[in-house]
Amino acid sequence: MDSILNYVKKRIGISKECDDFDTDIIGAINLAFSTLVQLGAGPKTGFWIEDENAEWSDYLDESDPQQKMLLGFIKEYLYIKARLSVDIPTSSILVEVLERNYKELEVRIKDEIETPSIIIEQGGETNE
């Protein structure tokens, strides 16, 4: 099981058994998903999670090379947005770095959607 919530919690440094912050983390994740919809990522009808049962494969098809590349950006984006919402660093420099990183990821996500890095040829092979 590749739970979206548990992935983000692990990246933040919270064990999956601890549910004290789940409501806040889920809210941050869902807010980030709404931004991703506006960037053109993921399902056109939107996506949100309610608990640890939502998996990455529910959001994007990891077997598709283009979506797998995009998913790497999205995982990092969700972590940063959740971190800035529930575990705000005390260092203003770290906050600036995280904010710069998520803004850069927004650009990369948009670029990846508009001009995929991986091109699928008719024979099914990929070129990078």
Side-chain angles (χ1 to χ4, degrees):
M1 183 157 155
D2 199 11
S3 166
I4 295 170
L5 176 60
N6 288 339
Y7 171 86
V8 172
K9 285 170 63 171
K10 181 178 180 181
R11 291 291 311 276
I12 292 173
I14 300 171
S15 74
K16 68 180 180 178
E17 291 79 20
C18 176
D19 61 2
D20 296 345
F21 306 101
D22 282 7
T23 301
D24 297 324
I25 296 170
I26 289 169
I29 289 170
N30 288 336
L31 183 60
F33 275 134
S34 68
T35 301
L36 290 167
V37 168
Q38 291 176 330
L39 293 174
K44 303 285 185 239
T45 56
F47 188 84
W48 63 93
I49 69 169
E50 296 177 359
D51 53 33
E52 68 181 20
N53 294 320
E55 298 183 5
W56 292 111
S57 59
D58 298 330
Y59 182 65
L60 288 178
D61 179 9
E62 292 181 87
S63 66
D64 178 324
Q66 290 174 337
Q67 290 191 13
K68 187 173 185 175
M69 171 78 87
L70 183 60
L71 190 57
F73 295 144
I74 289 170
K75 285 181 175 183
E76 188 68 12
Y77 183 76
L78 289 179
Y79 152 67
I80 292 171
K81 294 294 271 188
R83 169 92 191 267
L84 287 170
S85 293
V86 298
D87 185 26
I88 302 168
T90 55
S91 164
S92 61
I93 293 171
L94 183 54
V95 170
E96 287 177 31
V97 167
L98 290 171
E99 287 175 345
R100 206 174 3 201
N101 286 350
Y102 86 71
K103 289 176 184 173
E104 178 183 341
L105 283 164
E106 286 177 346
V107 171
R108 288 180 180 263
I109 289 165
K110 192 165 175 78
D111 286 349
E112 187 63 30
I113 291 165
E114 293 172 359
T115 312
S117 301
I118 298 174
I119 299 170
I120 309 287
E121 294 184 355
Q122 286 184 346
E125 297 176 19
T126 60
N127 289 333
E128 293 187 52

